[in-house]
Amino acid sequence: MKKIVQALIIWMPLVLGACKKDPGYHVEEYQEVKVDDLPDDVKIPSKAWGLLEFKTAGEEPLGSAKNIIFSEVNVFLVEKNPGVIQGEAVKISLPKGGGTIDLSRFVNEQRGSFYVGMEFPEFQEATGKKVLFISGARKRKIGAQVFGAGCNQFFDITDRFFKEMAIEGIRVNTTKDRHLSVLGGTFLFAAQKNNEVHVAQVTFTSSQQTALFCEGH
């Protein structure tokens, strides 16, 4: 009986450890980086603008009396595998309107996975929320899988975005630069509050792997 009790004592921590939830990008400490550069102009299709402005059917984009306000957005890069992210966990604070993140500044040569989190404070108390993604990565095949959505394709990812951010964020892998083909492009955020629409953008690129991106990214 004594041996059985000892075995249970040893086994229980292993089970509890195995069930422990991975926090993803929701960690307690970050190395903070503040970006003050003004964001670059981003070409946004008129249909995408209509979604960002919460237009009703028949309304013309960019023609309403809604007040467009450029707001701040934060990006988090947190390694899952040791050595992937410089500083292990980084919080990048972008200015009003957002900005561009050169992933080569933050991702090491060590292959592995990391989490990406994005938080737009204006989503709090907003009556309307919208997240779009405009792809800036060329399509390419790695093994049997195709990575990259192609140039200037845009998608409404609102539901999926909030689902992933609530759990661990977007998990990507750096092997063969897969992370660049997944993240390459621009995330657009819009939060409606009465007659105001708060907007921001985050563009991911890499100055070391420009061939993977569409022209202009």
Side-chain angles (χ1 to χ4, degrees):
M1 173 66 86
K2 186 176 180 181
K3 288 184 178 179
I4 294 175
V5 172
Q6 288 176 336
L8 286 173
I9 291 172
I10 293 170
W11 179 76
M12 283 178 66
L14 294 176
V15 173
L16 292 173
C19 295
K20 186 178 179 182
K21 183 181 177 183
D22 191 328
Y25 86 91
H26 303 281
V27 298
E28 293 182 0
E29 295 184 1
Y30 301 94
Q31 180 184 110
E32 298 202 13
V33 176
K34 188 173 178 61
V35 176
D36 295 319
D37 297 339
L38 294 175
D40 296 328
D41 291 336
V42 177
K43 293 180 180 179
I44 301 175
S46 59
K47 287 184 179 179
W49 256 119
L51 292 172
L52 293 174
E53 290 189 296
F54 302 95
K55 295 290 186 180
T56 57
E59 278 189 279
E60 289 294 327
L62 302 176
S64 73
K66 291 177 182 175
N67 187 20
I68 304 298
I69 299 174
F70 293 102
S71 301
E72 298 173 352
V73 61
N74 299 313
V75 176
F76 303 83
L77 306 176
V78 178
E79 63 184 30
K80 176 177 175 61
N81 300 119
V84 175
I85 296 296
Q86 294 183 29
E88 298 182 13
V90 180
K91 176 184 178 181
I92 306 168
S93 299
L94 295 173
K96 292 179 179 179
T100 298
I101 294 176
D102 182 352
L103 288 168
S104 67
R105 288 184 53 198
F106 303 99
V107 179
N108 294 322
E109 292 184 4
Q110 175 68 37
R111 302 296 88 179
S113 297
F114 68 96
Y115 300 101
V116 181
M118 286 172 271
E119 294 181 356
F120 187 46
E122 295 300 335
F123 278 146
Q124 295 182 19
E125 300 180 1
T127 56
K129 302 175 184 179
K130 189 66 68 176
V131 183
L132 305 181
F133 177 68
I134 302 177
S135 174
R138 302 179 188 276
K139 284 186 178 182
R140 63 186 177 118
K141 199 169 184 180
I142 304 176
Q145 289 184 296
V146 175
F147 288 81
C151 300
N152 301 318
Q153 302 295 315
F154 85 87
F155 310 88
D156 185 341
I157 61 168
T158 305
D159 293 340
R160 180 182 172 188
F161 176 85
F162 282 108
K163 213 173 275 186
E164 293 192 359
M165 292 304 129
I167 301 172
E168 62 181 20
I170 303 170
R171 182 167 61 180
V172 293
N173 190 279
T174 63
T175 305
K176 294 187 177 179
D177 293 315
R178 285 174 170 85
H179 65 298
L180 299 180
S181 295
V182 173
L183 297 171
T186 300
F187 290 80
L188 299 167
F189 305 92
Q192 185 171 25
K193 298 181 179 182
N194 298 319
N195 204 42
E196 295 179 345
V197 178
H198 296 258
V199 298
Q201 58 95 357
V202 176
T203 298
F204 290 102
T205 186
S206 172
S207 58
Q208 295 182 356
Q209 295 290 347
T210 56
L212 298 179
F213 294 87
C214 305
E215 188 175 349
H217 280 79

